[in-house]
Amino acid sequence: MKLILASNSPRRRQLLTDLGLPYEVRLVDVDEDFPPHLRRAEVAEYLAARKAAAYVAGLAPDEVVLTADTIVCLDDDVLNKPADVAEATAMLTRLQGRAHDVFTGVCLRCGDGRETVFSDQTTVHFRPLSPAEIAHYIATARPFDKAGAYGAQDWIGMVGVTRLEGSYFNVMGLPVHRVWAELEALGALPTLQPAQH
């Protein structure tokens, strides 16, 4: 089956490339609002499924679209992408010195109508960060395309993240171990080639 990645995220593209999966990128604008009663993992799964629904009409029978949404949760508060420097500063000020949860929801929708939706959770521990460190990161990384206003692979992850419980790649935006297993279950993985000696 042909894999379609419905994401503009360079991190998700890199992860699929590193997995050795051939894919094509297709982008459709989707409203990312969600019902207020949803909590934590439910939000990520809802948004991933909503994105996939926008691709149904354009999928060929031999295609499978992968959509994903990553959210940062501090207790029950969902921290989305910050709109500006002030919002990014407020988010990172709340996250520093504490543990929070990152959820990535994934939907795999096949052109033949099969669909699977799942999510993965990682707990991230931040050491206390100074206002100067937070300001430096925002000024240099411009993390306005990242949930919770940070990327674990960025400078702030290197100096601030002390411990992870769960998948590091999930925090980057795709729980690749789960994606691989679910694609395998759908019969959508390429055949693995043995090493040539």
Side-chain angles (χ1 to χ4, degrees):
M1 293 184 79
K2 182 177 180 182
L3 180 62
I4 308 300
L5 174 62
S7 175
N8 207 18
S9 164
R11 296 160 294 279
R12 291 189 182 120
R13 293 183 190 193
Q14 188 62 52
L15 289 172
L16 287 185
T17 299
D18 291 348
L19 269 183
L21 293 175
Y23 63 91
E24 171 191 322
V25 174
R26 285 187 206 160
L27 300 176
V28 174
D29 283 333
V30 179
D31 177 18
E32 296 192 18
D33 289 336
F34 56 88
H37 67 275
L38 296 180
R39 291 288 175 262
R40 295 164 65 82
E42 295 173 330
V43 173
E45 291 183 12
Y46 172 88
L47 290 172
R50 182 172 184 159
K51 291 176 182 179
Y55 288 82
V56 170
L59 282 181
D62 65 341
E63 292 180 331
V64 55
V65 65
L66 186 161
T67 57
D69 197 87
T70 300
I71 63 167
V72 170
C73 293
L74 186 63
D75 302 321
D76 276 334
D77 290 345
V78 176
L79 306 184
N80 287 318
K81 298 169 185 173
D84 52 31
V85 170
E87 198 169 359
T89 302
M91 286 184 185
L92 290 172
T93 300
R94 290 183 67 194
L95 292 174
Q96 62 85 30
R98 297 188 59 186
H100 63 273
D101 295 313
V102 176
F103 296 91
T104 297
V106 178
C107 182
L108 296 168
R109 175 72 186 233
C110 300
D112 62 12
R114 291 178 297 158
E115 180 181 81
T116 182
V117 181
F118 57 93
S119 60
D120 203 56
Q121 174 183 351
T122 305
T123 301
V124 181
H125 296 261
F126 261 123
R127 70 164 177 83
L129 297 167
S130 70
E133 287 171 325
I134 290 171
H136 168 78
Y137 173 66
I138 294 169
T140 55
R142 312 283 301 165
F144 307 118
D145 65 334
K146 296 176 173 70
Y150 81 94
Q153 70 281 3
D154 294 345
W155 178 86
I156 203 165
M158 290 185 248
V159 303
V161 174
T162 60
R163 186 159 55 97
L164 291 173
E165 296 163 46
S167 166
Y168 170 74
F169 300 110
N170 185 57
V171 183
M172 282 182 66
L174 203 61
V176 286
H177 64 292
R178 291 285 307 278
V179 170
W180 182 272
E182 297 293 346
L183 285 171
E184 185 175 40
L186 290 170
L189 284 181
T191 302
L192 296 177
Q193 299 300 319
Q196 301 296 318
H197 296 288

